[in-house]
Amino acid sequence: MILFLAARPVTAPPVPARPRRAAGRRGGPRPPFPGPYGRLFAVPGTRAFTAANLLARLPMGMFGVSAVLMIAGSRGSYALAGAVTAAGLAATAVAGPWTARLIDRYGQARVAPPAALLAAAGSLALVLCVRLDAPSWTLFAAYVCTATTPNTGGMSRARWAHLLRDDPRALHTALSFEQAADEVCFMLGPVLAAFLCTALSPVAGTLTGAVLLLTGVLLFAAQRRTEPPPAPRTGRTRSPLRSPGLAPLLLAFVCTGAVFGSLEVVTLGFADGHGVRAAAGGILALQAAGSCAAGLLYGLLPPAGRPAARFTGCVAAMAALMLLPLLGAASGSLAALAGALLVAGMATAPTMVTGMGRVQALTPEGRVTEGLTLAVTALLTGIAAGSAAGGWATDHLGGGPAGYGVPAAAAALAAGVTLLGHRRAPRPA
């Protein structure tokens, strides 16, 4: 999202050829619960780093909402709040891969804590600028500093990839768990942020997110037993972007991100047009819940066929199911739309699981975190573009069902890009 029967130096951890079976041996650790997921967490250390990573990952769904509510509430301008968060997103797209490269080269424990500390300092500076009524440009400068936030999900996936490098089926299960964890964090994060900013203080969401991030990263980095060894850069280590087949895959991630970004905006606009804006959050939560459930179920199934073919099939399924929200909205029924989003969401997690697996397979050894961060950057780029396209459609089409043509078109484009890239992609072993 394997096995260490004895603690060894992190530079040379012994990994059995079939770690997935070791949890059931006599005298070995018993799974905390039955099934493939239980076997994952039967290994000492995996539950500790997962719990710490979830703590650090939750703020990822909090920062954007918290910043918008805090800035808009104090300055009275959603345009300024949106511009500040957009600038932070652009800065993250630039700084994120560099931070990930340093993590791969020098190790998670050495790089992630100072990077998280700088990001937390940027959040604190943003709060101070808002409270002191500083000039608007200081808001941009402060929020840009949060771009050093380490890719916590990528670091967790890198640990699983290291521990399970000899067990593809268990790695498939671990990646499915990680995707479900992403869905949960991005489903609960905005809800928690909105509650803190409205019930306690406009700055409570940002401050709480910064504390959770720094605490989680410190606890995660302290789990040295499961940390992948650093990979010093050599002349033979090529950039992940030069790996054959990765560029088309990242383009497919951009299109997939556009699905997510546009779907959120047009749903907000549709609900607002029907006078039930408060229900939009619950409707979107159903989509995330469907994706989370599908991700967990997908992890229980053994991977069948070649990874590239599985990814192509998942993206095609997502393109087909993204027509359902368009039909649900055309009916004019919020219940029909909610059900359509629940079903459509079930295709996104398998797409992300197989896609992240492909990124790991195509990324050069020792640069896994960087490769995964490039995938996240591609997603964020697509989300930003999709949000803009969804907003344009909502404004010009009156928040009607036609707005759902944007995520449907983005999903179809993702399927087309994936199909073309599949023909040129290398065939993994």
Side-chain angles (χ1 to χ4, degrees), residues 65 266 352:
V65 174
V266 298
M352 293 302 302

Side-chain angles (χ1 to χ4, degrees), residues 102-206:
L102 293 175
I103 289 174
D104 282 332
R105 187 182 304 180
Y106 299 107
Q108 296 177 353
R110 292 184 61 185
V111 178
L117 181 61
L118 179 57
S123 296
L124 180 59
L126 179 65
V127 170
L128 292 176
C129 291
V130 170
R131 295 299 296 267
L132 297 176
D133 199 23
S136 296
W137 67 265
T138 62
L139 305 181
F140 290 90
Y143 203 64
V144 162
C145 293
T146 65
T148 61
T149 302
N151 180 7
T152 51
M155 290 192 298
S156 183
R157 288 177 171 90
R159 293 201 180 204
W160 287 120
H162 171 66
L163 296 173
L164 304 176
R165 60 186 181 272
D166 294 322
D167 195 341
R169 180 170 180 178
L171 180 58
H172 167 76
T173 302
L175 292 179
S176 299
F177 169 80
E178 289 294 327
Q179 185 59 37
D182 278 342
E183 298 290 350
V184 170
C185 290
F186 279 96
M187 183 170 54
L188 296 180
V191 176
L192 178 60
F195 170 77
L196 292 172
C197 291
T198 56
L200 297 181
S201 168
V203 303
T206 299

Side-chain angles (χ1 to χ4, degrees), residues 355-401:
M356 288 296 184
R358 290 287 296 148
V359 171
Q360 287 185 334
L362 296 175
T363 299
E365 185 178 359
R367 304 189 78 163
V368 174
T369 305
E370 182 181 352
L372 292 172
T373 302
L374 288 172
V376 172
T377 299
L379 275 174
L380 293 176
T381 302
I383 289 173
S387 297
W392 182 91
T394 299
D395 287 341
H396 289 77
L397 301 178

Side-chain angles (χ1 to χ4, degrees), residues 40-387:
L40 286 180
F41 296 108
V43 183
T46 55
R47 278 177 279 179
F49 89 70
T50 299
N53 188 270
L54 291 176
L55 185 67
R57 203 183 311 189
L58 181 60
M60 299 302 102
M62 297 177 59
F63 283 131
V65 174
S66 298
V68 168
L69 292 176
M70 179 175 62
I71 296 172
S74 64
R75 303 296 173 94
S77 172
Y78 278 96
L80 175 61
V84 171
T85 55
L89 183 64
T92 300
V94 175
W98 288 97
T99 303
R101 183 176 300 179
L102 293 175
I103 289 174
D104 282 332
R105 187 182 304 180
Y106 299 107
Q108 296 177 353
R110 292 184 61 185
V111 178
L117 181 61
L118 179 57
S123 296
L124 180 59
L126 179 65
V127 170
L128 292 176
C129 291
V130 170
R131 295 299 296 267
L132 297 176
D133 199 23
S136 296
W137 67 265
T138 62
L139 305 181
F140 290 90
Y143 203 64
V144 162
C145 293
T146 65
T148 61
T149 302
N151 180 7
T152 51
M155 290 192 298
S156 183
R157 288 177 171 90
R159 293 201 180 204
W160 287 120
H162 171 66
L163 296 173
L164 304 176
R165 60 186 181 272
D166 294 322
D167 195 341
R169 180 170 180 178
L171 180 58
H172 167 76
T173 302
L175 292 179
S176 299
F177 169 80
E178 289 294 327
Q179 185 59 37
D182 278 342
E183 298 290 350
V184 170
C185 290
F186 279 96
M187 183 170 54
L188 296 180
V191 176
L192 178 60
F195 170 77
L196 292 172
C197 291
T198 56
L200 297 181
S201 168
V203 303
T206 299
L207 292 178
T208 302
V211 171
L212 290 176
L213 172 67
L214 189 57
T215 302
V217 169
L218 290 176
L219 292 175
F220 177 81
Q223 311 301 317
R224 303 297 297 273
R225 174 167 45 178
T226 54
E227 180 183 2
R233 186 175 180 181
T234 64
R236 295 177 297 176
T237 304
R238 67 180 187 274
S239 169
L241 289 175
R242 298 177 61 185
S243 300
L246 188 59
L249 183 59
L250 293 178
L251 183 57
F253 270 74
V254 172
C255 298
T256 303
V259 174
F260 300 154
S262 60
L263 195 64
E264 180 176 350
V265 174
V266 298
T267 299
L268 290 171
F270 185 83
D272 196 19
H274 285 70
V276 287
R277 187 176 186 181
I283 296 174
L284 289 171
L286 285 176
Q287 188 267 340
S291 180
C292 178
L296 292 175
L297 291 175
Y298 188 64
L300 299 176
L301 302 175
R306 293 188 295 110
R310 289 203 309 272
F311 181 64
T312 302
C314 288
V315 176
M318 181 180 68
L321 291 181
M322 277 300 153
L323 295 174
L324 295 180
L326 179 60
L327 299 176
S331 71
S333 169
L334 286 176
L337 175 61
L341 288 173
L342 176 65
V343 177
M346 294 181 179
T348 57
T351 299
M352 293 302 302
V353 170
T354 53
M356 288 296 184
R358 290 287 296 148
V359 171
Q360 287 185 334
L362 296 175
T363 299
E365 185 178 359
R367 304 189 78 163
V368 174
T369 305
E370 182 181 352
L372 292 172
T373 302
L374 288 172
V376 172
T377 299
L379 275 174
L380 293 176
T381 302
I383 289 173
S387 297

